Amino acid sequence: MPVSAPPGPRSRATRALYSASLVVLFAAGCSSASGAAPGADPTAALPLPAPEDGSSDGGPTGTDERDEPGEDALVGDGPLHDRIVVIDPGHNGGNASATTEINRLVPAGPREKACDTVGAETGSGYAEHLFNWELSLLVKERLEADGATVVLTREDDEGVGPCIDERAEIGNEVRADAALSIHADGGPASGRGFHVIVPGEVEGFTEDIVAPSLLLAEDLRREYREGSDIPYADYLAEDGLDERTDLGGLNMSTVPKVFLEAGNMRNAEDAALLEDPEWQERAASAIARGLAMYLMRD
C-alpha cells in the first residue's frame, strides 16, 4: 500500500530538514497564485449546486472530540505522526431527500448560505456525494499509513450534511494542520479538467488562512496534476487555481483549507476516470502526496 511520504527519522527537526529538501526539489514545479478574481459559481450557473457542503446527521469521524489536539491527539508512527488533517467529503447521500434541512440558511462569512447542496453526477448516474466519500476514504487510508491523524466530516454516505459552517468548525475544533474538501464539478459537458479552490481575503474571516491555504493549494495542484492524468480545468479558473470569497466552507475556516474539484462529472472523458476504481487509487495517492508535501513544510 503506497504511502504519501517516504519513511525516515521521526523527529520534527529531521522532518523540517527533509521538508526543505522537498521544497527545493519541487521548486520548478510550483506556481504562484493566479490572482484571478472570484468567478461566478460554475455549478450554480448550470442548475446544479455550488461546491458547498453541509447539515446535521453526519458527524466527524477519525478521532476523539477534543479542544486541545496537541495534548491528546491520536497519533501513529510515521513522518506525519504529529499532524492532524481534516478530509471533508462534499455533500451527502441523504441530502436529496432532506430539502428543507439542507436549504436552511447558515453562517457562511459576511452573509448566509444554504446549509448544503445535493451535488452533481455523471451521465451514467454516479453521484458526486458517493465519489467524494469513496475518494476521501482512500486519501484517509494513505495519510494514516504515514502516521497522520485524519478526521472525516461525515461518518458515511447515507446521512444529511453536515452544514457548511459545521464542516468548517470540525477543522477549527481539532486545530487541523490542513483541511481539504473533496468534490467533483458539474461544469459544461464540453469542458474538462480539475481545479483547486482557494480562499480569497474576506475581512474579519479569512485573513489568517489566505497565505497558508495558497501553499497547500499549490502543493496539492502539482501532485494531483502529475498523478491523476487530469489537466487543469479549461472552462474556469486559471492554471488550476480559483480564488473564491463566497464559499462558507472556506470563509468559516480558521485553519488552512482548500477545495479540490477533482474533475468535471459532466465531461465524458473526465467521468470515465472518476468512475474508475483503479484511477481513484492513483488519484488518492496523488492527493495524499500533495497534503504530505504541505504538512512537511515546517
Side-chain angles (χ1 to χ4, degrees):
M1 148 63 142
V3 292
S4 54
R10 307 300 195 233
S11 73
R12 191 180 186 92
T14 301
R15 285 198 308 279
L17 291 173
Y18 179 70
S19 171
S21 68
L22 289 178
V23 172
V24 172
L25 178 62
F26 287 101
C30 294
S31 302
S32 61
S34 66
D41 190 326
T43 51
L46 290 168
L48 284 170
E52 289 276 353
D53 324 317
S55 159
S56 48
D57 286 353
T61 64
T63 186
D64 294 337
E65 291 185 9
R66 57 188 182 275
D67 293 327
E68 300 291 342
E71 296 178 6
D72 59 358
L74 301 179
V75 295
D77 181 28
L80 303 179
H81 78 274
D82 59 353
R83 298 296 193 256
I84 301 173
V85 182
V86 167
I87 301 295
D88 175 28
H91 313 293
N92 207 334
N95 284 6
S97 60
T99 54
T100 299
E101 188 167 3
I102 68 170
N103 285 332
R104 68 184 176 89
L105 297 179
V106 300
R111 61 189 181 95
E112 296 182 326
K113 295 190 74 172
C115 163
D116 201 4
T117 50
V118 175
E121 66 178 19
T122 66
S124 66
Y126 182 43
E128 181 194 350
H129 62 79
L130 178 57
F131 168 79
N132 298 340
W133 175 247
E134 292 177 333
L135 187 58
S136 293
L137 291 180
L138 294 174
V139 175
K140 178 178 185 287
E141 183 181 40
R142 283 153 174 76
L143 292 173
E144 289 179 338
D146 279 334
T149 296
V150 181
V151 180
L152 296 178
T153 60
R154 54 185 173 101
E155 60 187 15
D156 54 39
D157 193 47
E158 301 172 359
V160 178
C163 293
I164 56 177
D165 58 326
E166 294 173 305
R167 293 181 189 244
E169 185 60 23
I170 289 167
N172 300 345
E173 287 181 351
V174 300
R175 300 182 184 180
D177 295 291
L180 170 65
S181 191
I182 292 179
H183 288 260
D185 202 11
S190 60
R192 71 167 307 212
F194 82 93
H195 63 284
V196 182
I197 301 176
V198 298
E201 186 167 325
V202 179
E203 186 176 359
F205 290 92
T206 63
E207 292 98 333
D208 292 340
I209 70 166
V210 168
S213 295
L214 179 58
L215 292 177
L216 170 60
E218 290 176 339
D219 287 337
L220 178 63
R221 176 184 62 169
R222 180 185 60 251
E223 297 303 320
Y224 188 77
R225 186 185 189 191
E226 292 181 359
S228 71
D229 297 325
I230 292 186
Y232 296 150
D234 58 14
Y235 61 97
L236 83 173
E238 183 176 339
D239 294 331
L241 290 180
D242 187 21
E243 181 182 288
R244 299 280 292 271
T245 59
D246 62 319
L247 298 183
L250 297 179
N251 292 346
M252 301 303 290
S253 179
T254 60
V255 301
K257 183 175 182 179
V258 299
F259 280 46
L260 171 65
E261 294 285 355
N264 180 10
M265 300 197 100
R266 290 198 163 184
N267 175 271
E269 193 170 357
D270 278 3
L273 293 175
L274 298 174
E275 293 176 341
D276 181 1
E278 292 186 3
W279 175 87
Q280 290 180 8
E281 295 277 351
R282 297 198 308 273
S285 295
I287 293 168
R289 284 196 303 271
L291 286 166
M293 293 288 289
Y294 173 77
L295 293 168
M296 296 177 72
R297 281 179 173 269
D298 55 32

